[in-house]
Amino acid sequence: MTFDAPISMPPKAYMDIIGPLIEKARGYLEAGQKLQPFAFVGNLTTQQIIAIRIQPGTGEDKDQSAQAIQSAAFVSEADFVFVIMEAWSLRPDKLAQTDAILDKYGSIGASPYAIDVCSFSLETKRGVWVAQPQIRPKGHSKMKRTIPAVEFRYYTEVDGRFTHLLPEKEGDEAPTILH
């Protein structure tokens, strides 16, 4: 994934669906709760959305979750998959040193440069929009947290366990931004 992708909000049809999900995630954080990782598999034509809880345990658990998402996407002829989860990311000033940090500490979470983020990923046939706003304390609370306004970045190429989840359909085009 390229780190300098431009800010680009997903098309309105998707934002109408994922906007309330983002607000719900913010609400959980502000209520002092931890986010449960979920994927929302949706079909814009039928307006059907299937929520799938992602098992965050072992690699095998995550692989099974990815397979469940792919199966739901196939059965529902999904147009999108929207994934919400808490994650660790590197501070922006350390992104260029990702490989060295992974070599030294073994993972981002084990490094002193890790920050808590809320990871949002919207996969469509037109590409992927990703946002990772930093999770910060809400006011002076030690339990309540929040995220700032969510700014998505558009990517035509991504890789990872929770990507390439949509079924290939005959006549699919290469990703382009559609607004």
Side-chain angles (χ1 to χ4, degrees):
M1 187 161 43
T2 309
F3 292 111
D4 59 355
I7 293 174
S8 169
M9 293 305 280
K12 184 179 179 337
Y14 298 110
M15 286 305 299
D16 288 348
I17 295 167
I18 69 172
L21 297 171
I22 292 169
E23 289 308 310
K24 189 140 186 115
R26 181 179 281 114
Y28 281 122
L29 292 171
E30 291 180 353
Q33 298 176 14
K34 197 154 183 60
L35 285 182
Q36 297 299 318
F38 268 92
F40 298 89
V41 178
N43 181 305
L44 293 174
T45 304
T46 66
Q47 297 293 302
Q48 178 186 24
I49 297 176
I50 302 168
I52 298 173
R53 184 160 184 231
I54 297 171
Q55 299 303 318
T58 65
E60 185 177 318
D61 292 335
K62 293 175 188 173
D63 288 343
Q64 288 176 356
S65 293
Q67 180 60 46
I69 295 165
Q70 276 186 314
S71 295
F74 179 78
V75 168
S76 66
E77 297 182 0
D79 297 304
F80 70 91
V81 175
F82 183 58
V83 177
I84 300 175
M85 64 177 65
E86 285 191 46
W88 286 303
S89 184
L90 287 175
R91 295 185 338 223
D93 64 321
K94 297 295 181 183
L95 287 175
Q97 301 166 11
T98 300
D99 291 337
I101 290 169
L102 289 173
D103 289 345
K104 182 173 182 176
Y105 297 101
S107 72
I108 291 171
S111 82
Y113 311 113
I115 58 172
D116 289 328
V117 298
C118 188
S119 178
F120 299 108
S121 172
L122 174 65
E123 177 181 344
T124 73
K125 296 294 183 181
R126 304 272 182 217
V128 177
W129 284 265
V130 177
Q132 292 189 330
Q134 184 173 356
I135 298 172
R136 298 183 183 268
K138 181 170 173 69
H140 298 295
S141 176
K142 293 190 188 294
M143 296 294 294
K144 296 179 181 182
R145 304 172 298 155
T146 192
I147 54 173
V150 176
E151 294 181 342
F152 283 91
R153 295 190 182 274
Y154 175 77
Y155 299 90
T156 55
E157 295 181 28
V158 294
D159 198 21
R161 178 180 280 122
F162 293 107
T163 61
H164 305 289
L165 299 170
L166 292 173
E168 296 271 334
K169 293 181 183 175
E170 191 173 321
D172 281 349
E173 303 171 17
T176 59
I177 293 182
L178 175 67
H179 283 280

